[in-house]
Amino acid sequence: MTHPTGQQITRDLVRPLLLTTWRFYVMIALFGAFVVAGLVAWLSQVYFGFGLSGINWPVFWGFYITNFVFWIGISHAGTLISAILRLVNAGWRRPVTRCAEAITTFALLIGAMFPLIHIGRPWLAFWLIPYPSERLIWPNFRSPLVWDFFAINTYLTGSLLFLLLPMIPDFAVVRDSTTGIRQKIYRVLALGWRGTPKQWHRLESAMQIMAIAIIPVAVSVHTIVSFDFSMAPVPMWQTTIFGPYFVAGAIFSGIAGLIIAMAVLRRLLHLEDYLRPLHFENLGKLMLVMALLWGYFVFNERLVTYYGNGPHEMAVFWRTQRLSFAPLYWTMVVCNFVLPLILLGIRRFRTITGCVIASFGVVIGMWLERYLIIVPSLGAKYLPYSHGTYTPELVEVTITVATFAAMCLLYMLFAKVVPIISIWELKAGEHPSPALIPPATEKHQLGDLHL
Amino acid sequence: MDRRSFIKLTAVTGTGAALASCGNPENDFIRFIPDEMIVPGVAVWKPGVCSLCPAGCGLTVRVMDADADVVRDGQAGIVRIAAAKKLEGAPDHPVNHGGLCARGQAAIQVTYHPDRITQPLRRTGERGDGLYEAVSWDDALAEIVSRLDALEGAGNQGSLTYLTRVGRSHRAALVRDFLVRFGAPPPVAFEIFGDDVLRRANALSFGREQLPTFDLANAMYVLSFGADFLGTWNSPVAQNVAYGRMRQGRRGVRGAFAQVESRMSQTGASADEWVPVRPGTDGVLALGIAHLLMSTGAYPSDAAGRAGALIEGWAAGLPGYAPEDVERMTGLEAARVEGLARQFSDARPAVAIVGGAPLAHSNGLFTALAVNALNALVGAPGRDGGIFFTPQLDVAAAVQSGSPAQPAVALESLVTEGLAGGASPEVVFVDGANPVFTAPPAWRVREWLEQVPYIVSFGHFLDETSILADLILPDHSSLESWAEALPESGAVMAVASIAPPVMRPLHQTRATPDVLLEVGRMLGTPLALPWETFDELLGASLAGLPSASGSGALADARQAGVWSGELPAGLAVADSADTSPASVPVAFTAPEFDGDADEYPFHFLPYSSNAFLDGSLAHLPWLQEMPDPLTSAMWSSWVEINPVTAERLGISAGDVVEVTSAHGTVRTRVVVSPGIAPDLVAMPAGQGHRTFTRYASGRGENPVELLAPMTDAATGALAWAATRVRVTRVGPPDGRLILFAGSLREHGEEHR
Amino acid sequence: MPQWGMAVDLDRCTGCGGCVVACHAENNISTVGDEQAAVGRAKHWLRIERYWEGDFPDVRLKFRPVMCQQCDNAPCEPVCPTYASHHTDDGLNAQVYNRCIGTRYCANACPYNARFFDFFNPSWDKPLQLQLNPDVSLREVGVMEKCTFCVQRIRAAGTQAKAEERDVADGEIQPACVQSCGARALVFGDLENPSSEVSRLSRSPRGSKLLEDTGAQPSVTYLSRLTQV
């Protein structure tokens, strides 16, 4: 297998920015249409009343919060993975990092919309912000929702920086390969990058700091999301395991999202030379680890509940295990555990296709996991007289679909304006300290599992 | 904002933020308005009387200002009115003692109902189309007067028929007087869940043709045969008040309570012991208990006096009612019969209650007499913790109207005669009754009314009966006019609940008593009713009553909404003159049921709905949305089926089924209920209106449509619990059974 | 400072529903209609729970009125991001409708499911709106609402007592549900005052709190229904 040279890297990776086919516009229109549909759905919910949703007494949280947790979870794809790999200096990460970081940013943006979509009076959402009001009214700092507000904002800011910093040299590359108005735009974006050793040094230091800083933020953000549940005295919510369980689940779904995104980019942008089976295999192994970890957490959570045998917990427990939610529950177990274990655990299946199939399974499974955390508990909370059920309505389904379309749309547009693979990181030779980043070779295969 | 104030604000908010992060600061931040600056609106409280059922509970009405869209003298506009805001039980009222039931609370929605008839209407379309034109009161009254004059001209005054509801009041007395003076028969009152059998039995047993009052508060043991006395029967609020005292109102003493019925009612739910027996055999159980009491020797048979003498074999100690015989007839184990008898004799004072379904069988009078005899045996009549008969003000005597009392005709016989080609009324006045809805279709009341040439309704709403009317003269609501009732029961002393209007009328309506008085004056031959207005009649009636304050009984009533006290001699309704013992003592006869037991395997029990009674309250949205106490159903109707039966029929909760009797079919939804016998299905009355405002029309099903025209053999009263039905599953749940509750059981249902 | 509380004597409660409608009448709770009720949007600040026990013929039915328990350690309060749900000095869980943004977090945290959400702007078919109580604010779409112990009555009585320079007497304040109850199953008053009827009943050996193990420290005591042996 040959490795592309510097010139070719630039040509291949800048090409998607310059060449736009009709297919691109069709896809944009398609995804755009879904996004518009979602917007219409949301506006009608605001206009006609929240009752258009399927939310009811006592299931006051439904699809929207599921989506919120899901997208925040997906956002753990990038930054965390890329930061860790950066810190351990894994060379194979280089074509993957930007894909991943972009997912983080967009998933966070989408996830952060859901509290707005979800609340009853979104026009007053600014009351969550601690702004100096003349009436001295502050948000309630004891509320996990306010913690969410800070955690997500911090994470978003960090992720944006983490995404933008390494883009500067690439903007410079694009600036140098384009002309006209494009060149002017990228000149601004490149912030006067000249590639001097001093600039490289500063970039390197900044990236190092960001990589270290972003990891605790990422861990904390999903822990805090889990606090939304574990801080409320709801059966099967109030459990100490939720923090790590949510973080593990988030990384799990994040990797799955990343694998899917990479496979799509590889196919559409013809990046076969850059995103190679090795990358998929390595990510697949990571995902396998996470699948086992996830399985451990779920087993732990369920077993402890079962032995605790609290009557209120057991009502929820049996609801998911055996009764009305059992089909969804066992689908989740298959998607999140059985499928990854087979496809990623057996070497023969750990191909790009295998990884992608497993990833789709995990994305579905992790979405279901969040749904199954939220809805069965709320529907069977303590006093049986007040138990209830939940069926999503059209607006909720539309908005959910629209957010997936929004993810695709944002990603396509992003890949259109930014080289989706970090050019400078690939060009190990142009780096001032190439020794820091050795070229990607077979040696960097993760572990040596022969299953 | 200048720089200085900006800095100040920043400093202040910064401190605020610092404070907010510790302690419980929200009180300081949220409540910027000091308590003393919150001034609740200024309310006036006025007395009122609840008119939704005959219990005659006293109200305290909260009145405050409100801006109403009203039409006055043809001009529409927004006017500030004194509007009733909330109805509460009058604290010192001798019947309800401050309590008020759900229906009473909702009574205020009658006044403000969006579908109230706001002015006189004359029919323009076919009968039943609901097409009406507005007419003026003058034209409307002239039209009635010409109709009545025509009757008089033809010498046919007897063909005026007045349909009304059951209930004693001055208004009823006025109507009666109006009719007598005109030469028409007395008003015809019909109520599906009526108590005529019990009144008749009480007349025979105790010489009082009225419903009894129970001194539950002092009872140690209450044995109720089918009476939903905590829900809908007799004087429910008074009985709730007394029940609360019976249970926990006496230090260290708690009265016990057993309920005999085969479908658990809201009342049965509160019982310590719930005793299902075969339908129509409650009287047997009562006599079985009496037999055991007498056999111990503690209660000699002659203690029951006249009430006992009415029962065959009483003097001999009821030899045919040994526990084994009772077990054979009622299905209740002999040991439980003995247990009930032991409690009934040990816990003194004990009292038995009977009402509702047990009396709605072909042997209803026997059952009532049997329970009366049991009460008489233990000396319950007139003793603390026993039964009383509230002294009744004799309005006719009080106002010296001097019209002779005529026996009323039953609706059924009137209809049967009319349809058979006999005498049929020329003019029908409908006042508060809706027999087209509440009478069994087999009686063909609608058909009978359709052949009446002229129908006048005084109703507030278009319902199944008033939509047949040619002229509608809407009455004031009870908040807009003099409201009064003479409670038949619920207190030991005589009571007259009387209250002046609480607010001005919202619409172009007129009080029906005043309309009748005016019509009486306008007739070609005036009726010479001695009162100008209804309150003059009230004044005349109360004039002879003692006044606590000395300013007159009516003035007292104006203040308190009630007069209560000793009735002077001559003003009380006398005991029934019928003191001769029944020539032939009654014996148990097996209840007869309509429908073949093979073809129609289930007994059918319609019951008075906690929310709507017989359906007259189905138009009130609060009651529609109130969860039913037992099923938690809202805005729905349903049929209750035992779980074992349901499983055998392949029916699960919520399924759509057809309930079919020999007289009709209704398609409704299933509530699987553990509190009902396997051979019984029950349906609440109240829903299934075709025409009754936006909230009730087209909603649910009316169980009365299934009823056979069975009657109690002795009194001719409708035996509404004597129909048999079959149940067939039609399909899966269709979403029209709306339940508030998620689960039937508190523990472990999910895992059963 | 009084601490308001309630005692519910289940031995007196007959499940009649008078309190349920009284609450609607007093607190401007809109009816939602059949379609909304069918999807679980009915608002009953006070509900009478009923539970079946056993099977025919040995079957029993228990009633239990459940309203906001006005917990001392209310789980709904800390989770509200805007202080719409907060604790007052006299022990009430106040809900400031105007400050509510509708996260519905409080409803999830409430172990009793005593909180209800306005899914649409409430409406009254004219002229039913003439009945509305001017002392109770109307809630718009998107806010949570719940039993307030009829705080408007508590404040009115407090103002009246202050004007007359006296303390509020025991039994002077009756929430609408307490007022309507014929069987006197509901008793309201000041738990701080040891001689008030509600304190006396709350100390009864029959008394217990609902879902005590959640640690919410409710202010409502349920007095168990006795069984005759």
Side-chain angles (χ1 to χ4, degrees), chain A residues 45-61:
Chain A
Q45 177 183 293
V46 171
Y47 182 79
F48 292 108
F50 200 84
L52 295 193
S53 71
I55 299 289
N56 61 48
W57 178 83
V59 186
F60 283 108
W61 288 4

mmCIF file of all heavy atoms in Angstrom, chain A residues 45-61:
data_model
loop_
_atom_site.group_PDB
_atom_site.id
_atom_site.type_symbol
_atom_site.label_atom_id
_atom_site.label_comp_id
_atom_site.label_asym_id
_atom_site.label_seq_id
_atom_site.Cartn_x
_atom_site.Cartn_y
_atom_site.Cartn_z
ATOM 1 N N GLN A 45 -45.568 23.742 17.363
ATOM 2 C CA GLN A 45 -45.685 23.369 18.777
ATOM 3 C C GLN A 45 -45.682 24.612 19.664
ATOM 4 O O GLN A 45 -46.427 24.705 20.631
ATOM 5 C CB GLN A 45 -44.531 22.448 19.153
ATOM 6 C CG GLN A 45 -44.523 22.070 20.613
ATOM 7 C CD GLN A 45 -43.326 21.210 20.973
ATOM 8 O OE1 GLN A 45 -43.215 20.081 20.527
ATOM 9 N NE2 GLN A 45 -42.422 21.754 21.743
ATOM 10 N N VAL A 46 -44.860 25.585 19.310
ATOM 11 C CA VAL A 46 -44.824 26.821 20.089
ATOM 12 C C VAL A 46 -46.130 27.590 19.897
ATOM 13 O O VAL A 46 -46.704 28.118 20.842
ATOM 14 C CB VAL A 46 -43.616 27.689 19.665
ATOM 15 C CG1 VAL A 46 -43.698 29.064 20.309
ATOM 16 C CG2 VAL A 46 -42.324 26.995 20.027
ATOM 17 N N TYR A 47 -46.621 27.590 18.660
ATOM 18 C CA TYR A 47 -47.789 28.403 18.362
ATOM 19 C C TYR A 47 -49.065 27.795 18.925
ATOM 20 O O TYR A 47 -49.847 28.467 19.599
ATOM 21 C CB TYR A 47 -47.916 28.583 16.846
ATOM 22 C CG TYR A 47 -49.069 29.463 16.445
ATOM 23 C CD1 TYR A 47 -48.951 30.857 16.528
ATOM 24 C CD2 TYR A 47 -50.267 28.928 16.009
ATOM 25 C CE1 TYR A 47 -50.001 31.680 16.185
ATOM 26 C CE2 TYR A 47 -51.330 29.736 15.665
ATOM 27 C CZ TYR A 47 -51.187 31.116 15.757
ATOM 28 O OH TYR A 47 -52.240 31.934 15.425
ATOM 29 N N PHE A 48 -49.264 26.509 18.659
ATOM 30 C CA PHE A 48 -50.528 25.888 19.066
ATOM 31 C C PHE A 48 -50.508 25.411 20.510
ATOM 32 O O PHE A 48 -51.541 25.203 21.103
ATOM 33 C CB PHE A 48 -50.868 24.720 18.148
ATOM 34 C CG PHE A 48 -51.194 25.145 16.750
ATOM 35 C CD1 PHE A 48 -50.319 24.898 15.719
ATOM 36 C CD2 PHE A 48 -52.371 25.827 16.480
ATOM 37 C CE1 PHE A 48 -50.614 25.306 14.434
ATOM 38 C CE2 PHE A 48 -52.670 26.233 15.196
ATOM 39 C CZ PHE A 48 -51.789 25.983 14.165
ATOM 40 N N GLY A 49 -49.334 25.182 21.035
ATOM 41 C CA GLY A 49 -49.261 24.697 22.412
ATOM 42 C C GLY A 49 -48.483 23.401 22.472
ATOM 43 O O GLY A 49 -48.429 22.627 21.513
ATOM 44 N N PHE A 50 -47.918 23.186 23.629
ATOM 45 C CA PHE A 50 -47.054 22.031 23.796
ATOM 46 C C PHE A 50 -47.828 20.726 23.684
ATOM 47 O O PHE A 50 -47.264 19.653 23.490
ATOM 48 C CB PHE A 50 -46.356 22.111 25.160
ATOM 49 C CG PHE A 50 -45.143 21.270 25.243
ATOM 50 C CD1 PHE A 50 -43.941 21.735 24.771
ATOM 51 C CD2 PHE A 50 -45.207 19.988 25.756
ATOM 52 C CE1 PHE A 50 -42.822 20.947 24.809
ATOM 53 C CE2 PHE A 50 -44.088 19.194 25.802
ATOM 54 C CZ PHE A 50 -42.892 19.670 25.323
ATOM 55 N N GLY A 51 -49.143 20.833 23.787
ATOM 56 C CA GLY A 51 -49.980 19.650 23.724
ATOM 57 C C GLY A 51 -49.885 18.888 22.412
ATOM 58 O O GLY A 51 -50.357 17.760 22.318
ATOM 59 N N LEU A 52 -49.285 19.476 21.394
ATOM 60 C CA LEU A 52 -49.117 18.729 20.145
ATOM 61 C C LEU A 52 -48.192 17.536 20.342
ATOM 62 O O LEU A 52 -48.212 16.596 19.564
ATOM 63 C CB LEU A 52 -48.541 19.631 19.042
ATOM 64 C CG LEU A 52 -49.393 20.796 18.558
ATOM 65 C CD1 LEU A 52 -48.825 21.370 17.280
ATOM 66 C CD2 LEU A 52 -50.831 20.348 18.311
ATOM 67 N N SER A 53 -47.374 17.587 21.364
ATOM 68 C CA SER A 53 -46.469 16.470 21.613
ATOM 69 C C SER A 53 -47.236 15.347 22.301
ATOM 70 O O SER A 53 -48.413 15.485 22.613
ATOM 71 C CB SER A 53 -45.316 16.922 22.498
ATOM 72 O OG SER A 53 -45.807 17.154 23.806
ATOM 73 N N GLY A 54 -46.555 14.238 22.524
ATOM 74 C CA GLY A 54 -47.215 13.118 23.198
ATOM 75 C C GLY A 54 -46.983 13.109 24.695
ATOM 76 O O GLY A 54 -47.402 12.192 25.388
ATOM 77 N N ILE A 55 -46.318 14.137 25.192
ATOM 78 C CA ILE A 55 -46.035 14.240 26.618
ATOM 79 C C ILE A 55 -47.353 14.294 27.390
ATOM 80 O O ILE A 55 -48.320 14.890 26.909
ATOM 81 C CB ILE A 55 -45.234 15.528 26.889
ATOM 82 C CG1 ILE A 55 -43.911 15.502 26.138
ATOM 83 C CG2 ILE A 55 -45.004 15.761 28.359
ATOM 84 C CD1 ILE A 55 -42.926 14.537 26.670
ATOM 85 N N ASN A 56 -47.406 13.684 28.542
ATOM 86 C CA ASN A 56 -48.638 13.708 29.315
ATOM 87 C C ASN A 56 -48.312 13.531 30.784
ATOM 88 O O ASN A 56 -47.148 13.410 31.161
ATOM 89 C CB ASN A 56 -49.588 12.612 28.817
ATOM 90 C CG ASN A 56 -48.996 11.230 28.981
ATOM 91 O OD1 ASN A 56 -48.487 10.883 30.042
ATOM 92 N ND2 ASN A 56 -49.030 10.437 27.937
ATOM 93 N N TRP A 57 -49.375 13.510 31.604
ATOM 94 C CA TRP A 57 -49.215 13.194 33.010
ATOM 95 C C TRP A 57 -49.228 11.693 33.119
ATOM 96 O O TRP A 57 -50.204 11.102 32.653
ATOM 97 C CB TRP A 57 -50.382 13.808 33.782
ATOM 98 C CG TRP A 57 -50.405 13.548 35.253
ATOM 99 C CD1 TRP A 57 -49.735 14.225 36.213
ATOM 100 C CD2 TRP A 57 -51.171 12.538 35.932
ATOM 101 N NE1 TRP A 57 -50.017 13.705 37.440
ATOM 102 C CE2 TRP A 57 -50.890 12.670 37.305
ATOM 103 C CE3 TRP A 57 -52.030 11.524 35.531
ATOM 104 C CZ2 TRP A 57 -51.467 11.839 38.261
ATOM 105 C CZ3 TRP A 57 -52.599 10.699 36.471
ATOM 106 C CH2 TRP A 57 -52.316 10.868 37.836
ATOM 107 N N PRO A 58 -48.260 11.016 33.666
ATOM 108 C CA PRO A 58 -47.100 11.536 34.378
ATOM 109 C C PRO A 58 -45.784 11.457 33.573
ATOM 110 O O PRO A 58 -44.733 11.643 34.172
ATOM 111 C CB PRO A 58 -47.020 10.576 35.556
ATOM 112 C CG PRO A 58 -47.432 9.258 34.948
ATOM 113 C CD PRO A 58 -48.381 9.561 33.815
ATOM 114 N N VAL A 59 -45.845 11.155 32.306
ATOM 115 C CA VAL A 59 -44.594 11.039 31.537
ATOM 116 C C VAL A 59 -44.295 12.421 30.959
ATOM 117 O O VAL A 59 -44.685 12.732 29.834
ATOM 118 C CB VAL A 59 -44.706 9.969 30.435
ATOM 119 C CG1 VAL A 59 -43.359 9.767 29.764
ATOM 120 C CG2 VAL A 59 -45.187 8.668 31.025
ATOM 121 N N PHE A 60 -43.620 13.226 31.759
ATOM 122 C CA PHE A 60 -43.434 14.618 31.383
ATOM 123 C C PHE A 60 -42.194 14.823 30.511
ATOM 124 O O PHE A 60 -41.995 15.906 29.992
ATOM 125 C CB PHE A 60 -43.351 15.495 32.628
ATOM 126 C CG PHE A 60 -44.693 15.757 33.245
ATOM 127 C CD1 PHE A 60 -45.066 15.166 34.435
ATOM 128 C CD2 PHE A 60 -45.602 16.593 32.615
ATOM 129 C CE1 PHE A 60 -46.304 15.409 34.990
ATOM 130 C CE2 PHE A 60 -46.840 16.837 33.162
ATOM 131 C CZ PHE A 60 -47.198 16.250 34.360
ATOM 132 N N TRP A 61 -41.349 13.816 30.438
ATOM 133 C CA TRP A 61 -40.199 13.897 29.536
ATOM 134 C C TRP A 61 -40.308 12.753 28.547
ATOM 135 O O TRP A 61 -40.629 11.636 28.927
ATOM 136 C CB TRP A 61 -38.877 13.780 30.306
ATOM 137 C CG TRP A 61 -38.528 14.984 31.135
ATOM 138 C CD1 TRP A 61 -39.283 16.100 31.319
ATOM 139 C CD2 TRP A 61 -37.338 15.176 31.897
ATOM 140 N NE1 TRP A 61 -38.640 16.975 32.148
ATOM 141 C CE2 TRP A 61 -37.433 16.436 32.519
ATOM 142 C CE3 TRP A 61 -36.194 14.420 32.118
ATOM 143 C CZ2 TRP A 61 -36.429 16.951 33.342
ATOM 144 C CZ3 TRP A 61 -35.198 14.926 32.941
ATOM 145 C CH2 TRP A 61 -35.309 16.179 33.539
#
